[in-house]
Amino acid sequence: MSFLIRVLLPDIPGSLGHLAEAIGLVDGNIQSVDVVETFPDGTVMDDIVVALPKGVMADTLITAASTVEGVEVDSIRPFSGRVDRRGQIQMLAEVASHSRNLPRAMEELVTVIPRSMTASWAVVLDNTAPATPITRIAASQAAPEDDGSSPVNVDIAGPRILNPDTEEWVPESWGLLDSALAATPLGKTGMVLVVGRTGGPDFLATEVQHLGHIGGIVGAILS
């Protein structure tokens, strides 16, 4: 089984190597490594996808990481496949090729975004008509079912974190299991892309910024 482990470690030569060695000692096979954010204090946040042999528990990875000086485990969760940022380029090409077929283009978007953003699901909402109930255009396989709610006040002027406890329009199902949420407008199309990460961790500032860049590019293509 594969797990996505998010770790904070010193941004110095050899730090990642020592962590990789510790993971190898518990028979973990690193599938991908992605730098999420670099901090001013000399630390870096990495997302590492690790495959473990059958029967080996996720706690083994946490124990292994704790043996490396300066490494802190931020979160760990099951994750299928690899973090694939390059897949976003192919996705954008698909969106462009299907720009005259909006549902198809948005299906391409929500298929790729969860894996490339280490999220659990993605949904595209149509909020083009003011004071009119929004509709769901596309949703990834793992996205929560449409609960039938019809909010009209979706304030997503730029990429940002969503708080399901304070934003009345957010469906209750989106925030279950301590899910982290982020959203961005798709340029000036009136559509909104929402991504969810079941069980967390929270989206970092750089992740939200990256999501906003994707939204801007997709919006420009569709316009």
Side-chain angles (χ1 to χ4, degrees), residues 100-122:
R100 295 181 182 275
N101 183 347
L102 186 60
R104 174 67 184 277
M106 293 301 94
E107 286 295 337
E108 294 289 346
L109 177 63
V110 298
T111 297
V112 172
I113 284 298
R115 184 181 302 280
S116 62
M117 293 291 298
T118 62
S120 304
W121 52 267

Side-chain angles (χ1 to χ4, degrees), residues 36-93:
V36 181
E37 188 161 359
T38 301
F39 300 101
D41 64 355
T43 59
V44 62
M45 188 77 79
D46 285 357
D47 276 348
I48 305 175
V49 178
V50 182
L52 290 177
K54 186 176 180 180
V56 178
M57 305 299 290
D59 288 351
T60 304
L61 283 178
I62 299 175
T63 302
S66 67
T67 65
V68 182
E69 185 177 357
V71 171
E72 298 179 18
V73 176
D74 179 76
S75 63
I76 185 169
R77 59 190 174 93
F79 189 83
S80 177
R82 306 181 179 191
V83 178
D84 183 15
R85 305 293 188 201
R86 289 176 297 180
Q88 293 176 354
I89 303 300
Q90 181 178 350
M91 174 270 292
L92 291 171

Side-chain angles (χ1 to χ4, degrees), residues 15-48:
S15 183
L16 182 58
H18 291 315
L19 178 58
E21 182 179 3
I23 291 173
L25 290 175
V26 296
D27 295 327
N29 182 23
I30 294 178
Q31 304 289 304
S32 65
V33 178
D34 185 66
V35 178
V36 181
E37 188 161 359
T38 301
F39 300 101
D41 64 355
T43 59
V44 62
M45 188 77 79
D46 285 357
D47 276 348
I48 305 175

Side-chain angles (χ1 to χ4, degrees), residues 144-161:
E145 293 289 335
D146 191 340
D147 65 356
S149 61
S150 301
V152 296
N153 183 24
V154 179
D155 180 22
I156 307 294
R160 65 179 181 86
I161 298 292

